[in-house]
Amino acid sequence: MLTLADGTLVCLNAGSKLRFPVQFNGSYRKVELEGEGYFQVARNEEMPFVVSASGVNITVLGTEFNVSNYPENEDVQTTLIKGKVQVTLSENMDGYTLHPGEQVVYNKESGEVTVANVDVSYVTAWREGRLRFRDRPLKEIMDFISRWYDVDVVYEDEVVKNYLFGCNFNRHVTVTPLLELFQSTGTVRFEVVGKKIIVKK
């Protein structure tokens, strides 16, 4: 857990980077996120807090929210837990005002934006050392596993990347129990070679 100069608390997920100044000066407090972070922002109405993530700016006064912006992922996801945030994609846009339980997803390639109500417990499970997914593509889950366990994932057949899986799983010392759980469905197989996981149909 990081504590910024203004008292804001930031929890970063595996493989994440946060750029921030030693002291906040000027009319706003701005940080840049690559990866995933959970923010508990210290309230200061005179100096809004801004998280910049691949062209998406999230502006807040005081609130709790999660931002996911990994370079290898197509989407930037902002999920509001408490309070209110405004998400803008450029300086001249009004943007989207989120309420608790809402998530805005910006696709970096297509520029498409979607806003939906979500179960925030799935979004923030990583903070409690849990993997929680419901009907998500295997590639998305394996990307998460790759970062958490510092392993490389190789696919023998591209089609398995889109297979949908769900799990509610405590982080273990090794990834083996989770792979065995997925393998028990009979739809995929895994081979672990050193720090590499090979995914097979």
Side-chain angles (χ1 to χ4, degrees):
M1 182 81 78
L2 289 170
T3 303
L4 305 186
D6 65 338
T8 291
L9 300 176
V10 185
C11 184
L12 294 176
N13 203 344
S16 302
K17 298 175 192 169
L18 185 72
R19 283 183 283 285
F20 57 92
V22 176
Q23 288 293 330
F24 292 108
N25 299 309
S27 57
Y28 57 88
R29 301 165 283 167
K30 187 169 188 177
V31 299
E32 292 179 32
L33 175 71
E34 179 182 294
E36 186 166 22
Y38 186 94
F39 294 81
Q40 291 175 265
V41 178
R43 191 167 187 86
N44 182 344
E45 294 184 18
E46 305 300 313
M47 193 185 278
F49 191 92
V50 180
V51 179
S52 180
S54 293
V56 175
N57 287 315
I58 303 105
T59 305
V60 300
L61 297 175
T63 192
E64 292 184 34
F65 60 99
N66 194 85
V67 180
S68 181
N69 173 39
Y70 284 103
E72 65 272 20
N73 291 358
E74 289 180 2
D75 296 333
V76 178
Q77 298 178 345
T78 305
T79 311
L80 184 61
I81 316 304
K82 289 182 188 171
K84 192 166 22 173
V85 297
Q86 185 174 51
V87 180
T88 54
L89 306 178
S90 69
E91 300 291 324
N92 1 342
M93 268 187 72
D94 287 341
Y96 303 84
T97 301
L98 295 187
H99 299 281
E102 287 185 328
Q103 179 184 76
V104 62
V105 178
Y106 166 68
N107 186 288
K108 293 184 265 192
E109 292 184 10
S110 69
E112 184 182 344
V113 178
T114 56
V115 180
N117 285 300
V118 295
D119 181 340
V120 297
S121 66
Y122 282 86
V123 177
T124 61
W126 63 269
R127 294 184 63 224
E128 283 84 45
R130 296 190 71 79
L131 285 163
R132 283 195 80 197
F133 293 94
R134 182 191 295 152
D135 294 331
R136 303 306 303 161
L138 181 62
K139 182 184 184 312
E140 184 180 322
I141 299 172
M142 294 307 291
D143 284 347
F144 200 97
I145 287 169
S146 172
R147 289 188 292 268
W148 257 27
Y149 291 96
D150 192 24
V151 293
D152 293 319
V153 179
V154 178
Y155 298 88
E156 274 197 359
D157 194 323
E158 291 289 307
V159 74
V160 299
K161 290 182 176 182
N162 298 315
Y163 287 1
L164 300 181
F165 285 90
C167 63
N168 186 357
F169 195 77
N170 265 329
R171 186 174 186 177
H172 289 272
V173 177
T174 70
V175 71
T176 308
L178 183 59
L179 299 182
E180 288 172 351
L181 177 70
F182 288 163
Q183 214 161 249
S184 70
T185 65
T187 54
V188 289
R189 291 182 298 120
F190 300 95
E191 183 183 344
V192 180
V193 182
K195 293 195 75 161
K196 183 188 290 184
I197 298 174
I198 302 165
V199 188
K200 305 177 179 185
K201 196 171 174 181

